[in-house]
Amino acid sequence: MGLKFIVKLVVDQQISKVDAMKAFLAFPIDVAFLSMSFGAAVLAGLGKPGGRTISATGVLVFAVACITVAIITTMFCKRSDRAFDLDKTWPVVGWGFLSYAMSFLAAAGSLQAGSIS
């Protein structure tokens, strides 16, 4: 993820402080969507012969939760970006903290998707 962030920021462009900050504020969106991939990989591994089974309801709940987290994280990121454009420091910090917290909690939770019954 860190490599993707750096490559996206520096390849074929001049880096400005504003661009770097905007990329930093948008990074949780990438983490939230990566969480879906982690969870899907964990759940796919459960379907192998000899593996645990998971109910269709569990998979549906997981999918809806991932989509909801991605939407809320995107909303928080956009609010922090708007606050950054308006030079409002504390809202940038607050919305940024919420977006990072939500996306990293989602990543940690998705790695535990195998415990869904």
Side-chain angles (χ1 to χ4, degrees), residues 75-97:
M75 180 185 71
F76 289 165
C77 287
K78 289 186 178 274
R79 288 183 181 187
S80 66
D81 190 48
R82 258 184 269 138
F84 179 74
D85 288 340
L86 298 172
D87 289 326
K88 295 183 176 183
T89 304
W90 289 112
V92 170
V93 171
W95 291 119
F97 174 79

Side-chain angles (χ1 to χ4, degrees), residues 34-99:
L34 180 64
S35 298
M36 281 191 228
S37 300
F38 284 165
V42 168
L43 293 175
L46 294 177
K48 299 195 181 208
R52 256 189 54 217
T53 59
I54 185 168
S55 70
T57 304
V59 173
L60 183 61
V61 167
F62 176 77
V64 169
C66 284
I67 292 167
T68 303
V69 166
I71 290 170
I72 292 171
T73 300
T74 302
M75 180 185 71
F76 289 165
C77 287
K78 289 186 178 274
R79 288 183 181 187
S80 66
D81 190 48
R82 258 184 269 138
F84 179 74
D85 288 340
L86 298 172
D87 289 326
K88 295 183 176 183
T89 304
W90 289 112
V92 170
V93 171
W95 291 119
F97 174 79
L98 288 172
S99 63

Side-chain angles (χ1 to χ4, degrees), residues 13-35:
Q13 71 178 14
Q14 286 287 93
I15 305 170
S16 71
K17 289 179 183 177
V18 172
D19 290 337
M21 187 62 181
K22 285 187 173 271
F24 178 77
L25 292 173
F27 185 66
I29 296 171
D30 294 335
V31 174
F33 280 95
L34 180 64
S35 298

